[in-house]
Amino acid sequence: MPARILVLGGSFAGLTAALSLTSRLGADADVTVVSAADRFVFNPSLIWLPFGRRGRTDISFPLAPTFERHGVRFVHAAATYVDPAEHRVETTEGVFDYDYLVIATGYRNDLDVVPGMHETATITTLGAAERTANAWREFLDDPGDVIVGATQGASCFGAAYEFLFNTSYQLRRAGLHDKVKLTYVTAEPYAGHFGIDGMPGAKPLMRMFARKEGIAVETGQAMREIRPESIELADGRELPYKFAMVIPPFRGQDFLAKTPGLVDAGGYVPVRSTYQSQHWDDVYAVGIAAAVPVPWTTAIPTGIPKTGFPTEQQAHVAAKNIAAQVRGTEPTTRKEFSQIPALCIMDAGNNGVAMFADHMLPPRKAAVMIPGPQNHLAKVAFEKYSLAKMRAGRVRLP
């Protein structure tokens, strides 16, 4: 009888895990994906959507056809409760039993972190980015000062920087660059920290970019309140704006907290280096759903970014280990999040920075940052390649 493998989530982590399992196990596995979203969204491209450089159909595709081509059952439903003792998951479309469970449910925005965040533009989901596009169009009709920021506890700093520099580029194109003040407000202890304790040369490089673009930078800042036309910082200062885009912190999905011992205070699943749950050998968590300890303390809390590349790496590790268990052997493939290589291209409109390191987190033996306009083209090429790979279900390609 084939092993029943249930994957919760259909984004980078869930899609990769499900298709990697099918590829490795074939007829030995019956893989089902349950996802609250019925489309795959290439989140790195959300930075472009508010400026009209991308639309919904440019950066997303329906999940069902991809899974069906590879013999994976797809169910468009939201999970509501995980019962590890009974090996079952309750969803809005019924109850699913499993032999192995992969939790790849991603994140939700913590919009309660700062009063006013619920009403503030952001780009961390497709719907939010589309609403931000409306706000940007309104801004162009009545321009003024601009703030791009990341609140205390935020982790998606890469998107904040990309949106910041793309905003500067778009202001130039609109003839507004010298007429408005652009400010970056961040919880990071310094510009270029990125939530990963920086990279060699990151601090002077970000300082150079900010100076070149005339961007005012406020680091080590917590936000007290976001009002319709100003942001109040914890030190009491108010920064006025006509347009603001702010990145909030992420949290795990609410339903996971209903299971005692499954998640930590942030709603993430504590895992071993095999990506098995700390408490259940047949429960795995990958991608943003997996807890990653922050190995340092900053004056203002910052999180660690969990981007697409490490997410896919985690999913492959989990798939290898589940395949081993299905075949009756111990799961021995291990890869600590901190030891996964860092590969990132930060777009800046018509410029950018490529970042490479042997490890996501320090200590690192090798790391390099390469600025230049070629990185914008590289980012576009990476987008096209990744979307084609995911749509085709060729998740074992690089």
Side-chain angles (χ1 to χ4, degrees), residues 7-23 31-35 37-42 61-70 72 74 102-105 286-287 311-312 315-316 319 386-396:
V7 179
L8 303 182
S11 190
F12 285 91
L15 189 148
T16 301
L19 297 181
S20 182
L21 282 161
T22 300
S23 174
V31 180
T32 298
V33 172
V34 173
S35 173
D38 63 352
R39 296 185 72 84
F40 176 89
V41 177
F42 190 69
F61 59 83
L63 285 166
T66 297
F67 285 126
E68 288 167 4
R69 279 197 303 272
H70 293 270
V72 174
F74 175 69
V102 180
I103 299 172
T105 45
V286 293
T311 287
E312 292 179 47
H316 285 302
S386 297
L387 277 165
K389 180 182 84 168
M390 291 299 194
R391 188 193 296 267
R394 307 298 182 191
V395 298
R396 296 181 70 176

Side-chain angles (χ1 to χ4, degrees), residues 43 47 123-124 148 156-164 245 247:
N43 287 50
I47 57 166
I123 55 166
T124 52
V148 175
C156 196
F157 295 106
Y161 280 105
E162 289 189 290
F163 192 86
L164 173 69
M245 192 292 296
I247 300 290

Side-chain angles (χ1 to χ4, degrees), residues 5 23 32-33 55 63 111 128 146 213 238 260 287 311 333 341 343-344 348 370 380:
I5 303 174
S23 174
T32 298
V33 172
L63 285 166
L111 299 178
V146 176
E213 296 299 320
E238 287 198 31
T311 287
T333 304
L343 305 173
C344 179
I370 307 170
V380 172

